Amino acid sequence: MVLNPHRYTRKETFEMNQHRPLMLLTMWLVAILVCLNFGCSNEDSKTPPQPDIIRGFSFFGLGANSHYSSAVRRKLGKKLGSDAISRQNVIDLTIYSNAFFKKHFPPLFNLNRQLNLPEGQRIEHNTTKLMYRYARLKETPFINITLYFSNDTGMPLFFKISAGPGAAAIVETIKEKYGPPEQFEWDDENGRTLFWKDGKDFFIVSSTKDRLGNLEYLFCIYYVNNLEEMLAIEKARKLPEQEKIREAGESAF
C-alpha cells in the first residue's frame, strides 16, 4: 500500500500505517478460510471423498460405499499396473453357465436378466469398466481383473477377478476376514464354490482345475444394492421417453 504524501496529512498517514498490520492479518485469515473450504490441492473438487470405513466386501480398499474417481483409478494402477477403460458397457453377471448360475444363485440370475432384457439385444449401461491384464507383473496372483462402476452414483457394481494357484492363500485370508462360508461341490466334481452374503450382496469364490491339473480361481463380488439402484435410475430416465411414445400413440389412433 503506497501513500501519497500530498493527499494525506502526516497524522492520517501515521494512523493508516498503524492499521496496516491488522489489515494484512485479516487478509491472510480470509485466504486460509477460503483454502480450507474449497481445498488447496490439485484434485478435482467434484470428486467425492472416500469413506473412512469401507462397508461390506472389498477389493483393494473399494467397498460397497466407495466412489469411483480419477484418484481411485491412479491408486489401482499403482497396485495392478496399466488398465483399459470403457464406458457404456454390457454387464453379464453369469459365472460358468446360465444353468449353473440359475441353480445355485437364483437372485443373481434374475438380476442378470433385468440387466439384459429384452433377451438377444445388446443392452449397454451407463457404467465405467476398468480392466487389468498385467497385474501379475505387480507380483499378484491375479490374471484378469474387471471392475464395473455406475457413472450415475460412482459406486461399484460388480468385480470379477481370475487368478492362478497362488490365490489359495488369499482364499484363507478371505475366510479369516468374513468368517465361515457357505459352500458346495460341483456336480461333475471338478470344482468347488464358496460364498458369503452381506445383506443382498454376494462374494463368490470358485475353484476348478485346468487341463494340466492346476487350480484356477474366480472371485466375484456382486454389489446388489448398487446394481438395483442403477436399474432404478435407468428406469426413471426412460419414463419421459415412454410417456412421449404413449402420447404419440394416443394422438395417432
Side-chain angles (χ1 to χ4, degrees):
M1 181 176 180
V2 179
L3 300 176
N4 186 342
H6 300 290
R7 183 177 178 183
Y8 300 101
T9 66
R10 184 174 299 175
K11 180 179 180 181
E12 289 173 333
T13 301
F14 175 79
E15 290 177 348
M16 293 179 70
N17 286 333
Q18 285 288 96
H19 288 89
R20 187 177 182 186
L22 180 60
M23 292 171 61
L24 290 174
L25 178 61
T26 302
M27 292 172 64
W28 275 108
L29 289 174
V30 170
I32 292 171
L33 289 173
V34 170
C35 186
L36 291 174
N37 189 38
F38 293 99
C40 295
S41 67
N42 292 324
E43 291 293 331
D44 185 359
S45 60
K46 295 182 180 180
T47 299
Q50 290 299 299
D52 293 330
I53 300 176
I54 301 302
R55 180 170 61 81
F57 305 121
S58 64
F59 178 70
F60 278 111
L62 294 172
N65 58 332
S66 298
H67 291 82
Y68 174 78
S69 67
S70 57
V72 166
R73 185 183 178 191
R74 288 193 297 270
K75 183 178 178 181
L76 289 171
K78 291 178 181 179
K79 297 178 179 179
L80 302 174
S82 61
D83 64 15
I85 187 171
S86 67
R87 296 179 174 85
Q88 303 299 320
N89 303 284
V90 173
I91 303 178
D92 184 4
L93 305 179
T94 305
I95 51 177
Y96 298 111
S97 70
N98 278 324
F100 176 94
F101 206 47
K102 183 178 182 179
K103 177 180 179 180
H104 296 291
F105 302 103
L108 297 176
F109 176 81
N110 292 330
L111 180 59
N112 193 59
R113 291 191 65 189
Q114 295 180 56
L115 290 167
N116 295 287
L117 285 176
E119 294 181 5
Q121 293 189 19
R122 179 181 175 86
I123 308 299
E124 294 183 340
H125 301 277
N126 186 28
T127 57
T128 292
K129 179 171 68 171
L130 298 179
M131 296 162 285
Y132 300 87
R133 301 291 181 263
Y134 307 103
R136 283 173 292 180
L137 300 179
K138 292 288 186 176
E139 297 182 354
T140 76
F142 305 123
I143 299 172
N144 290 315
I145 301 168
T146 305
L147 312 177
Y148 292 86
F149 301 86
S150 168
N151 287 341
D152 291 304
T153 65
M155 291 184 171
L157 303 169
F158 173 44
F159 294 169
K160 188 174 184 178
I161 305 106
S162 63
I170 295 178
V171 176
E172 296 306 313
T173 300
I174 294 172
K175 289 180 181 179
E176 293 176 3
K177 183 174 183 179
Y178 299 118
E182 298 183 56
Q183 56 187 299
F184 59 85
E185 301 290 335
W186 293 8
D187 294 338
D188 59 8
E189 299 182 355
N190 190 42
R192 183 187 185 196
T193 293
L194 314 175
F195 65 97
W196 294 260
K197 290 188 288 186
D198 179 25
K200 291 183 177 181
D201 296 351
F202 280 81
F203 191 170
I204 301 174
V205 180
S206 294
S207 60
T208 186
K209 293 182 179 181
D210 62 16
R211 295 179 181 179
L212 300 177
N214 299 316
L215 279 173
E216 296 177 328
Y217 290 88
L218 181 64
F219 301 84
C220 292
I221 302 179
Y222 300 87
Y223 297 107
V224 175
N225 289 311
N226 296 346
L227 283 162
E228 290 179 342
E229 183 178 6
M230 182 193 71
L231 285 171
I233 292 172
E234 290 180 348
K235 184 177 180 180
R237 188 179 289 131
K238 291 178 181 177
L239 286 177
E241 181 180 345
Q242 293 172 346
E243 182 62 21
K244 288 181 180 179
I245 295 174
R246 185 187 66 81
E247 291 176 354
E250 288 178 348
S251 61
F253 300 99

PDB file of all heavy atoms in Angstrom, residues 138-159:
ATOM      1  N   LYS A 138       2.917 -57.062 -11.167  1.00  0.00           N
ATOM      2  CA  LYS A 138       2.982 -56.376  -9.879  1.00  0.00           C
ATOM      3  C   LYS A 138       3.075 -57.384  -8.725  1.00  0.00           C
ATOM      4  O   LYS A 138       2.799 -57.046  -7.573  1.00  0.00           O
ATOM      5  CB  LYS A 138       1.742 -55.504  -9.690  1.00  0.00           C
ATOM      6  CG  LYS A 138       1.680 -54.318 -10.645  1.00  0.00           C
ATOM      7  CD  LYS A 138       2.700 -53.255 -10.270  1.00  0.00           C
ATOM      8  CE  LYS A 138       2.545 -52.015 -11.113  1.00  0.00           C
ATOM      9  NZ  LYS A 138       3.461 -50.931 -10.691  1.00  0.00           N
ATOM     10  N   GLU A 139       3.475 -58.604  -9.062  1.00  0.00           N
ATOM     11  CA  GLU A 139       3.662 -59.675  -8.077  1.00  0.00           C
ATOM     12  C   GLU A 139       2.356 -59.998  -7.334  1.00  0.00           C
ATOM     13  O   GLU A 139       2.328 -60.167  -6.124  1.00  0.00           O
ATOM     14  CB  GLU A 139       4.766 -59.294  -7.071  1.00  0.00           C
ATOM     15  CG  GLU A 139       6.133 -59.116  -7.732  1.00  0.00           C
ATOM     16  CD  GLU A 139       7.222 -58.798  -6.722  1.00  0.00           C
ATOM     17  OE1 GLU A 139       6.890 -58.601  -5.545  1.00  0.00           O
ATOM     18  OE2 GLU A 139       8.393 -58.774  -7.124  1.00  0.00           O
ATOM     19  N   THR A 140       1.269 -60.076  -8.090  1.00  0.00           N
ATOM     20  CA  THR A 140       0.000 -60.555  -7.559  1.00  0.00           C
ATOM     21  C   THR A 140      -0.356 -61.843  -8.296  1.00  0.00           C
ATOM     22  O   THR A 140       0.137 -62.091  -9.392  1.00  0.00           O
ATOM     23  CB  THR A 140      -1.131 -59.526  -7.771  1.00  0.00           C
ATOM     24  OG1 THR A 140      -1.547 -59.564  -9.151  1.00  0.00           O
ATOM     25  CG2 THR A 140      -0.685 -58.124  -7.401  1.00  0.00           C
ATOM     26  N   PRO A 141      -1.236 -62.679  -7.729  1.00  0.00           N
ATOM     27  CA  PRO A 141      -1.632 -63.916  -8.410  1.00  0.00           C
ATOM     28  C   PRO A 141      -2.763 -63.706  -9.408  1.00  0.00           C
ATOM     29  O   PRO A 141      -3.225 -64.670 -10.024  1.00  0.00           O
ATOM     30  CB  PRO A 141      -2.098 -64.803  -7.249  1.00  0.00           C
ATOM     31  CG  PRO A 141      -2.657 -63.836  -6.264  1.00  0.00           C
ATOM     32  CD  PRO A 141      -1.790 -62.605  -6.368  1.00  0.00           C
ATOM     33  N   PHE A 142      -3.201 -62.454  -9.596  1.00  0.00           N
ATOM     34  CA  PHE A 142      -4.369 -62.180 -10.433  1.00  0.00           C
ATOM     35  C   PHE A 142      -4.000 -62.190 -11.920  1.00  0.00           C
ATOM     36  O   PHE A 142      -2.982 -61.633 -12.329  1.00  0.00           O
ATOM     37  CB  PHE A 142      -4.992 -60.839 -10.059  1.00  0.00           C
ATOM     38  CG  PHE A 142      -5.336 -60.742  -8.595  1.00  0.00           C
ATOM     39  CD1 PHE A 142      -4.820 -59.719  -7.811  1.00  0.00           C
ATOM     40  CD2 PHE A 142      -6.160 -61.685  -7.990  1.00  0.00           C
ATOM     41  CE1 PHE A 142      -5.123 -59.625  -6.463  1.00  0.00           C
ATOM     42  CE2 PHE A 142      -6.466 -61.608  -6.648  1.00  0.00           C
ATOM     43  CZ  PHE A 142      -5.952 -60.576  -5.880  1.00  0.00           C
ATOM     44  N   ILE A 143      -4.870 -62.805 -12.706  1.00  0.00           N
ATOM     45  CA  ILE A 143      -4.648 -62.903 -14.152  1.00  0.00           C
ATOM     46  C   ILE A 143      -5.450 -61.840 -14.898  1.00  0.00           C
ATOM     47  O   ILE A 143      -4.910 -61.079 -15.695  1.00  0.00           O
ATOM     48  CB  ILE A 143      -5.028 -64.311 -14.654  1.00  0.00           C
ATOM     49  CG1 ILE A 143      -4.156 -65.362 -13.961  1.00  0.00           C
ATOM     50  CG2 ILE A 143      -4.876 -64.401 -16.173  1.00  0.00           C
ATOM     51  CD1 ILE A 143      -4.570 -66.797 -14.227  1.00  0.00           C
ATOM     52  N   ASN A 144      -6.749 -61.821 -14.662  1.00  0.00           N
ATOM     53  CA  ASN A 144      -7.633 -60.831 -15.279  1.00  0.00           C
ATOM     54  C   ASN A 144      -8.501 -60.187 -14.205  1.00  0.00           C
ATOM     55  O   ASN A 144      -9.026 -60.883 -13.330  1.00  0.00           O
ATOM     56  CB  ASN A 144      -8.536 -61.470 -16.343  1.00  0.00           C
ATOM     57  CG  ASN A 144      -7.759 -61.900 -17.576  1.00  0.00           C
ATOM     58  OD1 ASN A 144      -6.917 -61.150 -18.072  1.00  0.00           O
ATOM     59  ND2 ASN A 144      -8.030 -63.093 -18.070  1.00  0.00           N
ATOM     60  N   ILE A 145      -8.656 -58.886 -14.301  1.00  0.00           N
ATOM     61  CA  ILE A 145      -9.464 -58.153 -13.338  1.00  0.00           C
ATOM     62  C   ILE A 145     -10.398 -57.216 -14.106  1.00  0.00           C
ATOM     63  O   ILE A 145      -9.946 -56.451 -14.974  1.00  0.00           O
ATOM     64  CB  ILE A 145      -8.588 -57.315 -12.382  1.00  0.00           C
ATOM     65  CG1 ILE A 145      -7.621 -58.224 -11.615  1.00  0.00           C
ATOM     66  CG2 ILE A 145      -9.442 -56.507 -11.419  1.00  0.00           C
ATOM     67  CD1 ILE A 145      -6.543 -57.468 -10.868  1.00  0.00           C
ATOM     68  N   THR A 146     -11.689 -57.289 -13.794  1.00  0.00           N
ATOM     69  CA  THR A 146     -12.670 -56.403 -14.417  1.00  0.00           C
ATOM     70  C   THR A 146     -13.527 -55.785 -13.323  1.00  0.00           C
ATOM     71  O   THR A 146     -14.120 -56.503 -12.515  1.00  0.00           O
ATOM     72  CB  THR A 146     -13.577 -57.157 -15.409  1.00  0.00           C
ATOM     73  OG1 THR A 146     -12.764 -57.838 -16.368  1.00  0.00           O
ATOM     74  CG2 THR A 146     -14.494 -56.190 -16.132  1.00  0.00           C
ATOM     75  N   LEU A 147     -13.577 -54.459 -13.305  1.00  0.00           N
ATOM     76  CA  LEU A 147     -14.310 -53.727 -12.272  1.00  0.00           C
ATOM     77  C   LEU A 147     -15.323 -52.805 -12.940  1.00  0.00           C
ATOM     78  O   LEU A 147     -14.975 -52.033 -13.838  1.00  0.00           O
ATOM     79  CB  LEU A 147     -13.351 -52.888 -11.422  1.00  0.00           C
ATOM     80  CG  LEU A 147     -12.083 -53.580 -10.892  1.00  0.00           C
ATOM     81  CD1 LEU A 147     -11.209 -52.575 -10.139  1.00  0.00           C
ATOM     82  CD2 LEU A 147     -12.434 -54.752  -9.995  1.00  0.00           C
ATOM     83  N   TYR A 148     -16.585 -52.892 -12.500  1.00  0.00           N
ATOM     84  CA  TYR A 148     -17.648 -52.045 -13.043  1.00  0.00           C
ATOM     85  C   TYR A 148     -18.089 -51.029 -11.989  1.00  0.00           C
ATOM     86  O   TYR A 148     -18.295 -51.384 -10.821  1.00  0.00           O
ATOM     87  CB  TYR A 148     -18.870 -52.871 -13.430  1.00  0.00           C
ATOM     88  CG  TYR A 148     -18.686 -53.800 -14.605  1.00  0.00           C
ATOM     89  CD1 TYR A 148     -18.175 -55.083 -14.434  1.00  0.00           C
ATOM     90  CD2 TYR A 148     -19.048 -53.408 -15.890  1.00  0.00           C
ATOM     91  CE1 TYR A 148     -18.023 -55.945 -15.498  1.00  0.00           C
ATOM     92  CE2 TYR A 148     -18.899 -54.274 -16.975  1.00  0.00           C
ATOM     93  CZ  TYR A 148     -18.382 -55.530 -16.767  1.00  0.00           C
ATOM     94  OH  TYR A 148     -18.233 -56.387 -17.835  1.00  0.00           O
ATOM     95  N   PHE A 149     -18.290 -49.772 -12.434  1.00  0.00           N
ATOM     96  CA  PHE A 149     -18.794 -48.715 -11.570  1.00  0.00           C
ATOM     97  C   PHE A 149     -19.939 -47.992 -12.271  1.00  0.00           C
ATOM     98  O   PHE A 149     -19.927 -47.824 -13.493  1.00  0.00           O
ATOM     99  CB  PHE A 149     -17.695 -47.687 -11.254  1.00  0.00           C
ATOM    100  CG  PHE A 149     -16.485 -48.257 -10.576  1.00  0.00           C
ATOM    101  CD1 PHE A 149     -15.447 -48.800 -11.322  1.00  0.00           C
ATOM    102  CD2 PHE A 149     -16.377 -48.237  -9.190  1.00  0.00           C
ATOM    103  CE1 PHE A 149     -14.315 -49.321 -10.699  1.00  0.00           C
ATOM    104  CE2 PHE A 149     -15.247 -48.751  -8.565  1.00  0.00           C
ATOM    105  CZ  PHE A 149     -14.224 -49.304  -9.314  1.00  0.00           C
ATOM    106  N   SER A 150     -20.908 -47.550 -11.492  1.00  0.00           N
ATOM    107  CA  SER A 150     -22.004 -46.751 -12.042  1.00  0.00           C
ATOM    108  C   SER A 150     -21.526 -45.338 -12.326  1.00  0.00           C
ATOM    109  O   SER A 150     -20.891 -44.709 -11.477  1.00  0.00           O
ATOM    110  CB  SER A 150     -23.183 -46.719 -11.059  1.00  0.00           C
ATOM    111  OG  SER A 150     -24.127 -45.730 -11.440  1.00  0.00           O
ATOM    112  N   ASN A 151     -21.838 -44.819 -13.499  1.00  0.00           N
ATOM    113  CA  ASN A 151     -21.498 -43.430 -13.809  1.00  0.00           C
ATOM    114  C   ASN A 151     -22.453 -42.448 -13.132  1.00  0.00           C
ATOM    115  O   ASN A 151     -22.135 -41.267 -13.001  1.00  0.00           O
ATOM    116  CB  ASN A 151     -21.520 -43.203 -15.321  1.00  0.00           C
ATOM    117  CG  ASN A 151     -20.338 -43.852 -16.020  1.00  0.00           C
ATOM    118  OD1 ASN A 151     -19.326 -44.161 -15.390  1.00  0.00           O
ATOM    119  ND2 ASN A 151     -20.466 -44.080 -17.304  1.00  0.00           N
ATOM    120  N   ASP A 152     -23.615 -42.921 -12.734  1.00  0.00           N
ATOM    121  CA  ASP A 152     -24.593 -42.050 -12.085  1.00  0.00           C
ATOM    122  C   ASP A 152     -24.275 -41.831 -10.605  1.00  0.00           C
ATOM    123  O   ASP A 152     -24.376 -40.721 -10.098  1.00  0.00           O
ATOM    124  CB  ASP A 152     -26.003 -42.634 -12.224  1.00  0.00           C
ATOM    125  CG  ASP A 152     -26.503 -42.578 -13.653  1.00  0.00           C
ATOM    126  OD1 ASP A 152     -26.526 -41.479 -14.230  1.00  0.00           O
ATOM    127  OD2 ASP A 152     -26.861 -43.630 -14.204  1.00  0.00           O
ATOM    128  N   THR A 153     -23.903 -42.897  -9.922  1.00  0.00           N
ATOM    129  CA  THR A 153     -23.635 -42.798  -8.483  1.00  0.00           C
ATOM    130  C   THR A 153     -22.153 -42.884  -8.149  1.00  0.00           C
ATOM    131  O   THR A 153     -21.743 -42.493  -7.052  1.00  0.00           O
ATOM    132  CB  THR A 153     -24.365 -43.916  -7.723  1.00  0.00           C
ATOM    133  OG1 THR A 153     -23.809 -45.192  -8.112  1.00  0.00           O
ATOM    134  CG2 THR A 153     -25.857 -43.908  -8.026  1.00  0.00           C
ATOM    135  N   GLY A 154     -21.338 -43.420  -9.063  1.00  0.00           N
ATOM    136  CA  GLY A 154     -19.917 -43.620  -8.801  1.00  0.00           C
ATOM    137  C   GLY A 154     -19.625 -44.877  -8.004  1.00  0.00           C
ATOM    138  O   GLY A 154     -18.463 -45.226  -7.776  1.00  0.00           O
ATOM    139  N   MET A 155     -20.664 -45.590  -7.588  1.00  0.00           N
ATOM    140  CA  MET A 155     -20.470 -46.748  -6.711  1.00  0.00           C
ATOM    141  C   MET A 155     -20.130 -48.018  -7.507  1.00  0.00           C
ATOM    142  O   MET A 155     -20.520 -48.159  -8.659  1.00  0.00           O
ATOM    143  CB  MET A 155     -21.719 -46.972  -5.865  1.00  0.00           C
ATOM    144  CG  MET A 155     -21.945 -45.897  -4.834  1.00  0.00           C
ATOM    145  SD  MET A 155     -23.359 -46.255  -3.768  1.00  0.00           S
ATOM    146  CE  MET A 155     -23.177 -44.973  -2.524  1.00  0.00           C
ATOM    147  N   PRO A 156     -19.415 -48.947  -6.870  1.00  0.00           N
ATOM    148  CA  PRO A 156     -19.072 -50.202  -7.544  1.00  0.00           C
ATOM    149  C   PRO A 156     -20.295 -51.078  -7.742  1.00  0.00           C
ATOM    150  O   PRO A 156     -21.220 -51.069  -6.921  1.00  0.00           O
ATOM    151  CB  PRO A 156     -18.067 -50.860  -6.592  1.00  0.00           C
ATOM    152  CG  PRO A 156     -18.399 -50.294  -5.252  1.00  0.00           C
ATOM    153  CD  PRO A 156     -18.860 -48.887  -5.501  1.00  0.00           C
ATOM    154  N   LEU A 157     -20.297 -51.843  -8.827  1.00  0.00           N
ATOM    155  CA  LEU A 157     -21.431 -52.700  -9.171  1.00  0.00           C
ATOM    156  C   LEU A 157     -21.067 -54.177  -9.157  1.00  0.00           C
ATOM    157  O   LEU A 157     -21.778 -54.992  -8.563  1.00  0.00           O
ATOM    158  CB  LEU A 157     -21.955 -52.333 -10.564  1.00  0.00           C
ATOM    159  CG  LEU A 157     -22.381 -50.883 -10.764  1.00  0.00           C
ATOM    160  CD1 LEU A 157     -22.619 -50.611 -12.250  1.00  0.00           C
ATOM    161  CD2 LEU A 157     -23.616 -50.573  -9.947  1.00  0.00           C
ATOM    162  N   PHE A 158     -19.940 -54.517  -9.791  1.00  0.00           N
ATOM    163  CA  PHE A 158     -19.588 -55.924  -9.990  1.00  0.00           C
ATOM    164  C   PHE A 158     -18.090 -56.015 -10.238  1.00  0.00           C
ATOM    165  O   PHE A 158     -17.547 -55.326 -11.090  1.00  0.00           O
ATOM    166  CB  PHE A 158     -20.378 -56.464 -11.190  1.00  0.00           C
ATOM    167  CG  PHE A 158     -20.019 -57.856 -11.634  1.00  0.00           C
ATOM    168  CD1 PHE A 158     -19.833 -58.876 -10.706  1.00  0.00           C
ATOM    169  CD2 PHE A 158     -19.895 -58.158 -12.988  1.00  0.00           C
ATOM    170  CE1 PHE A 158     -19.512 -60.173 -11.125  1.00  0.00           C
ATOM    171  CE2 PHE A 158     -19.589 -59.438 -13.412  1.00  0.00           C
ATOM    172  CZ  PHE A 158     -19.395 -60.449 -12.479  1.00  0.00           C
ATOM    173  N   PHE A 159     -17.417 -56.844  -9.441  1.00  0.00           N
ATOM    174  CA  PHE A 159     -15.989 -57.105  -9.614  1.00  0.00           C
ATOM    175  C   PHE A 159     -15.799 -58.570  -9.992  1.00  0.00           C
ATOM    176  O   PHE A 159     -16.371 -59.457  -9.353  1.00  0.00           O
ATOM    177  CB  PHE A 159     -15.209 -56.830  -8.316  1.00  0.00           C
ATOM    178  CG  PHE A 159     -15.190 -55.385  -7.891  1.00  0.00           C
ATOM    179  CD1 PHE A 159     -14.716 -55.042  -6.625  1.00  0.00           C
ATOM    180  CD2 PHE A 159     -15.610 -54.371  -8.719  1.00  0.00           C
ATOM    181  CE1 PHE A 159     -14.676 -53.713  -6.210  1.00  0.00           C
ATOM    182  CE2 PHE A 159     -15.579 -53.040  -8.319  1.00  0.00           C
ATOM    183  CZ  PHE A 159     -15.110 -52.715  -7.051  1.00  0.00           C
TER     184      PHE A 159
END
